[in-house]
Amino acid sequence: MAASDSPLSVLLEDPERSALMSDVDGTLCRIVDRPDQARVPVRARESLEILADSLALVACITGRPSPVARKMVGAEKITYFGNHGLSYIKPGQDRPTVVIEGEEAERARNFIREHDNPFWVTSKIRIEDKGPIQALHWRGAGNRTEAVVRGIADHAQSAGLATHWGRKVLELRPPGMEGKAGAVDELLDGIEIDTVVFAGDDRTDLEAALRLRKLAEEGQLKNLMIVAIDSSEGPPELVEMADLVVAEPEEWIDLIEDLAARASEAAAGATRPE
Ligand SMILES: [Mg+2]
């Protein structure tokens, strides 16, 4: 029997009804200036793989496309929910399953197609095509550009799109897309889960955490632990509502690694002859 002094050991009490969910950037790895250079430590991958053998669900929920997240984290046995809840890729799948399809998926792209003009380029607005989500970046541009982006946001809203603000980025999304909160719903749909541990560092993670808290309050989850990775850039609300706050990704990975060791011990104990 594993000792109960690990904060995450609640997951091993009834592992077949337990889920571990983690953000990637800023949670399983440090944020770096160039996102393509972010690296998830090998010990994180190995620990997630071990836990995937014990727990009902291990998932990464990220703003990156799900295949990119899988390549980055490297664990084959876990589920990846990508682009803030837009598509997921399960163990053994080659291609992601897209949650929003058809006309809805094209709405933001169509808006950009109809309204993009050379003035956006001279204002230093860069468009990132994330499929159903279209992101307008203006890092490096001034206040005047921000005013232009605000104008675009108003326009997009009157065209029926949802707007989501990040750090020097505006995302245009189809209406009804619930980001990571929607990802959490989708992940828990159709499986019996009583216990969830969720970790994240950013505003989108707060949305997921609030959804999980609501499910716990409604009695749909028996145990919920929200882990916040503290950072000066993250929303203070996430740290305030969290059950556990760690200072950096390495500390969160320490906890996962410790839990994986306990899961291995428990599995060895279960198969050891009397
Ligand atoms: Mg993050």
mmCIF file of all heavy atoms in Angstrom, residues 175-201:
data_model
loop_
_atom_site.group_PDB
_atom_site.id
_atom_site.type_symbol
_atom_site.label_atom_id
_atom_site.label_comp_id
_atom_site.label_asym_id
_atom_site.label_seq_id
_atom_site.Cartn_x
_atom_site.Cartn_y
_atom_site.Cartn_z
ATOM 1 N N PRO A 175 -18.597 30.488 -32.319
ATOM 2 C CA PRO A 175 -19.361 30.626 -31.084
ATOM 3 C C PRO A 175 -19.610 29.250 -30.468
ATOM 4 O O PRO A 175 -19.678 28.253 -31.173
ATOM 5 C CB PRO A 175 -20.674 31.260 -31.549
ATOM 6 C CG PRO A 175 -20.772 30.957 -32.998
ATOM 7 C CD PRO A 175 -19.372 30.857 -33.506
ATOM 8 N N GLY A 176 -19.717 29.202 -29.170
ATOM 9 C CA GLY A 176 -20.035 27.944 -28.504
ATOM 10 C C GLY A 176 -18.824 27.071 -28.255
ATOM 11 O O GLY A 176 -18.922 26.010 -27.663
ATOM 12 N N MET A 177 -17.662 27.533 -28.723
ATOM 13 C CA MET A 177 -16.461 26.752 -28.458
ATOM 14 C C MET A 177 -15.966 27.086 -27.067
ATOM 15 O O MET A 177 -15.745 28.232 -26.739
ATOM 16 C CB MET A 177 -15.399 27.135 -29.475
ATOM 17 C CG MET A 177 -14.566 25.973 -29.898
ATOM 18 S SD MET A 177 -13.138 26.562 -30.775
ATOM 19 C CE MET A 177 -11.954 26.472 -29.450
ATOM 20 N N GLU A 178 -15.815 26.060 -26.272
ATOM 21 C CA GLU A 178 -15.567 26.339 -24.867
ATOM 22 C C GLU A 178 -14.129 26.142 -24.426
ATOM 23 O O GLU A 178 -13.870 26.021 -23.235
ATOM 24 C CB GLU A 178 -16.481 25.475 -24.015
ATOM 25 C CG GLU A 178 -17.921 25.904 -24.133
ATOM 26 C CD GLU A 178 -18.717 25.308 -23.003
ATOM 27 O OE1 GLU A 178 -19.089 24.140 -23.127
ATOM 28 O OE2 GLU A 178 -18.927 26.010 -22.005
ATOM 29 N N GLY A 179 -13.217 26.073 -25.351
ATOM 30 C CA GLY A 179 -11.816 25.977 -24.979
ATOM 31 C C GLY A 179 -11.531 24.773 -24.106
ATOM 32 O O GLY A 179 -12.072 23.687 -24.317
ATOM 33 N N LYS A 180 -10.694 24.977 -23.111
ATOM 34 C CA LYS A 180 -10.286 23.847 -22.275
ATOM 35 C C LYS A 180 -11.431 23.337 -21.398
ATOM 36 O O LYS A 180 -11.426 22.174 -20.998
ATOM 37 C CB LYS A 180 -9.073 24.225 -21.439
ATOM 38 C CG LYS A 180 -7.799 24.334 -22.275
ATOM 39 C CD LYS A 180 -6.556 24.418 -21.408
ATOM 40 C CE LYS A 180 -5.315 24.543 -22.279
ATOM 41 N NZ LYS A 180 -4.085 24.587 -21.472
ATOM 42 N N ALA A 181 -12.394 24.210 -21.088
ATOM 43 C CA ALA A 181 -13.558 23.741 -20.322
ATOM 44 C C ALA A 181 -14.315 22.711 -21.157
ATOM 45 O O ALA A 181 -14.755 21.671 -20.650
ATOM 46 C CB ALA A 181 -14.462 24.914 -19.954
ATOM 47 N N GLY A 182 -14.444 22.976 -22.457
ATOM 48 C CA GLY A 182 -15.090 22.028 -23.362
ATOM 49 C C GLY A 182 -14.277 20.739 -23.479
ATOM 50 O O GLY A 182 -14.831 19.643 -23.560
ATOM 51 N N ALA A 183 -12.956 20.881 -23.452
ATOM 52 C CA ALA A 183 -12.077 19.703 -23.529
ATOM 53 C C ALA A 183 -12.298 18.789 -22.329
ATOM 54 O O ALA A 183 -12.363 17.569 -22.457
ATOM 55 C CB ALA A 183 -10.618 20.141 -23.598
ATOM 56 N N VAL A 184 -12.420 19.406 -21.158
ATOM 57 C CA VAL A 184 -12.649 18.638 -19.929
ATOM 58 C C VAL A 184 -13.968 17.856 -20.034
ATOM 59 O O VAL A 184 -14.020 16.654 -19.727
ATOM 60 C CB VAL A 184 -12.677 19.610 -18.718
ATOM 61 C CG1 VAL A 184 -13.334 18.967 -17.517
ATOM 62 C CG2 VAL A 184 -11.265 20.062 -18.385
ATOM 63 N N ASP A 185 -15.007 18.523 -20.496
ATOM 64 C CA ASP A 185 -16.309 17.853 -20.664
ATOM 65 C C ASP A 185 -16.190 16.665 -21.607
ATOM 66 O O ASP A 185 -16.688 15.580 -21.342
ATOM 67 C CB ASP A 185 -17.341 18.830 -21.254
ATOM 68 C CG ASP A 185 -17.902 19.761 -20.192
ATOM 69 O OD1 ASP A 185 -17.765 19.441 -18.991
ATOM 70 O OD2 ASP A 185 -18.468 20.802 -20.562
ATOM 71 N N GLU A 186 -15.513 16.910 -22.722
ATOM 72 C CA GLU A 186 -15.368 15.882 -23.741
ATOM 73 C C GLU A 186 -14.570 14.682 -23.206
ATOM 74 O O GLU A 186 -14.920 13.532 -23.443
ATOM 75 C CB GLU A 186 -14.639 16.490 -24.950
ATOM 76 C CG GLU A 186 -14.737 15.720 -26.228
ATOM 77 C CD GLU A 186 -16.019 16.017 -27.014
ATOM 78 O OE1 GLU A 186 -16.547 17.146 -26.890
ATOM 79 O OE2 GLU A 186 -16.468 15.121 -27.717
ATOM 80 N N LEU A 187 -13.523 14.972 -22.455
ATOM 81 C CA LEU A 187 -12.684 13.892 -21.904
ATOM 82 C C LEU A 187 -13.450 13.034 -20.903
ATOM 83 O O LEU A 187 -13.242 11.827 -20.825
ATOM 84 C CB LEU A 187 -11.443 14.490 -21.224
ATOM 85 C CG LEU A 187 -10.319 14.937 -22.142
ATOM 86 C CD1 LEU A 187 -9.309 15.787 -21.375
ATOM 87 C CD2 LEU A 187 -9.613 13.739 -22.764
ATOM 88 N N LEU A 188 -14.317 13.681 -20.124
ATOM 89 C CA LEU A 188 -15.027 12.937 -19.072
ATOM 90 C C LEU A 188 -16.295 12.279 -19.597
ATOM 91 O O LEU A 188 -16.905 11.467 -18.898
ATOM 92 C CB LEU A 188 -15.372 13.879 -17.903
ATOM 93 C CG LEU A 188 -14.169 14.436 -17.142
ATOM 94 C CD1 LEU A 188 -14.629 15.401 -16.050
ATOM 95 C CD2 LEU A 188 -13.351 13.305 -16.517
ATOM 96 N N ASP A 189 -16.665 12.615 -20.827
ATOM 97 C CA ASP A 189 -17.899 12.080 -21.403
ATOM 98 C C ASP A 189 -17.773 10.574 -21.628
ATOM 99 O O ASP A 189 -16.825 10.104 -22.259
ATOM 100 C CB ASP A 189 -18.165 12.794 -22.747
ATOM 101 C CG ASP A 189 -19.524 12.413 -23.299
ATOM 102 O OD1 ASP A 189 -20.460 12.252 -22.500
ATOM 103 O OD2 ASP A 189 -19.636 12.256 -24.529
ATOM 104 N N GLY A 190 -18.713 9.830 -21.087
ATOM 105 C CA GLY A 190 -18.758 8.394 -21.374
ATOM 106 C C GLY A 190 -17.830 7.526 -20.537
ATOM 107 O O GLY A 190 -17.770 6.326 -20.751
ATOM 108 N N ILE A 191 -17.064 8.124 -19.614
ATOM 109 C CA ILE A 191 -16.282 7.271 -18.713
ATOM 110 C C ILE A 191 -16.635 7.612 -17.268
ATOM 111 O O ILE A 191 -17.035 8.737 -16.960
ATOM 112 C CB ILE A 191 -14.747 7.380 -18.922
ATOM 113 C CG1 ILE A 191 -14.286 8.850 -18.963
ATOM 114 C CG2 ILE A 191 -14.309 6.662 -20.184
ATOM 115 C CD1 ILE A 191 -12.779 8.995 -18.955
ATOM 116 N N GLU A 192 -16.491 6.618 -16.402
ATOM 117 C CA GLU A 192 -16.838 6.804 -14.990
ATOM 118 C C GLU A 192 -15.606 7.283 -14.237
ATOM 119 O O GLU A 192 -14.698 6.518 -13.962
ATOM 120 C CB GLU A 192 -17.313 5.470 -14.398
ATOM 121 C CG GLU A 192 -18.565 4.910 -15.041
ATOM 122 C CD GLU A 192 -19.817 5.662 -14.580
ATOM 123 O OE1 GLU A 192 -19.804 6.173 -13.442
ATOM 124 O OE2 GLU A 192 -20.774 5.740 -15.360
ATOM 125 N N ILE A 193 -15.582 8.564 -13.944
ATOM 126 C CA ILE A 193 -14.445 9.141 -13.222
ATOM 127 C C ILE A 193 -14.946 9.805 -11.936
ATOM 128 O O ILE A 193 -15.886 10.596 -11.967
ATOM 129 C CB ILE A 193 -13.723 10.207 -14.095
ATOM 130 C CG1 ILE A 193 -13.109 9.573 -15.354
ATOM 131 C CG2 ILE A 193 -12.660 10.947 -13.289
ATOM 132 C CD1 ILE A 193 -11.904 8.703 -15.121
ATOM 133 N N ASP A 194 -14.318 9.455 -10.813
ATOM 134 C CA ASP A 194 -14.675 10.070 -9.528
ATOM 135 C C ASP A 194 -13.637 11.088 -9.072
ATOM 136 O O ASP A 194 -13.934 11.991 -8.312
ATOM 137 C CB ASP A 194 -14.749 8.993 -8.425
ATOM 138 C CG ASP A 194 -15.917 8.059 -8.649
ATOM 139 O OD1 ASP A 194 -16.916 8.498 -9.249
ATOM 140 O OD2 ASP A 194 -15.813 6.882 -8.233
ATOM 141 N N THR A 195 -12.402 10.872 -9.508
ATOM 142 C CA THR A 195 -11.299 11.684 -8.980
ATOM 143 C C THR A 195 -10.504 12.302 -10.129
ATOM 144 O O THR A 195 -10.115 11.598 -11.065
ATOM 145 C CB THR A 195 -10.349 10.798 -8.134
ATOM 146 O OG1 THR A 195 -11.106 10.253 -7.052
ATOM 147 C CG2 THR A 195 -9.184 11.594 -7.585
ATOM 148 N N VAL A 196 -10.298 13.619 -10.053
ATOM 149 C CA VAL A 196 -9.517 14.304 -11.090
ATOM 150 C C VAL A 196 -8.446 15.165 -10.425
ATOM 151 O O VAL A 196 -8.724 15.887 -9.459
ATOM 152 C CB VAL A 196 -10.417 15.200 -11.982
ATOM 153 C CG1 VAL A 196 -9.562 16.059 -12.917
ATOM 154 C CG2 VAL A 196 -11.386 14.363 -12.807
ATOM 155 N N VAL A 197 -7.235 15.071 -10.958
ATOM 156 C CA VAL A 197 -6.196 16.045 -10.636
ATOM 157 C C VAL A 197 -5.903 16.799 -11.925
ATOM 158 O O VAL A 197 -5.660 16.184 -12.967
ATOM 159 C CB VAL A 197 -4.912 15.381 -10.088
ATOM 160 C CG1 VAL A 197 -3.793 16.414 -9.961
ATOM 161 C CG2 VAL A 197 -5.176 14.720 -8.739
ATOM 162 N N PHE A 198 -5.972 18.117 -11.856
ATOM 163 C CA PHE A 198 -5.762 18.951 -13.042
ATOM 164 C C PHE A 198 -4.674 19.982 -12.737
ATOM 165 O O PHE A 198 -4.711 20.627 -11.687
ATOM 166 C CB PHE A 198 -7.067 19.676 -13.409
ATOM 167 C CG PHE A 198 -6.906 20.663 -14.546
ATOM 168 C CD1 PHE A 198 -7.064 20.255 -15.860
ATOM 169 C CD2 PHE A 198 -6.571 21.990 -14.289
ATOM 170 C CE1 PHE A 198 -6.890 21.157 -16.910
ATOM 171 C CE2 PHE A 198 -6.393 22.901 -15.338
ATOM 172 C CZ PHE A 198 -6.565 22.475 -16.646
ATOM 173 N N ALA A 199 -3.739 20.162 -13.657
ATOM 174 C CA ALA A 199 -2.673 21.149 -13.442
ATOM 175 C C ALA A 199 -2.548 22.094 -14.629
ATOM 176 O O ALA A 199 -2.639 21.680 -15.787
ATOM 177 C CB ALA A 199 -1.335 20.438 -13.219
ATOM 178 N N GLY A 200 -2.335 23.367 -14.331
ATOM 179 C CA GLY A 200 -2.153 24.351 -15.394
ATOM 180 C C GLY A 200 -1.566 25.645 -14.864
ATOM 181 O O GLY A 200 -1.354 25.801 -13.651
ATOM 182 N N ASP A 201 -1.303 26.566 -15.776
ATOM 183 C CA ASP A 201 -0.642 27.816 -15.376
ATOM 184 C C ASP A 201 -1.294 29.070 -15.953
ATOM 185 O O ASP A 201 -0.897 30.180 -15.621
ATOM 186 C CB ASP A 201 0.823 27.794 -15.847
ATOM 187 C CG ASP A 201 0.938 27.942 -17.358
ATOM 188 O OD1 ASP A 201 0.258 27.182 -18.070
ATOM 189 O OD2 ASP A 201 1.659 28.835 -17.824
#
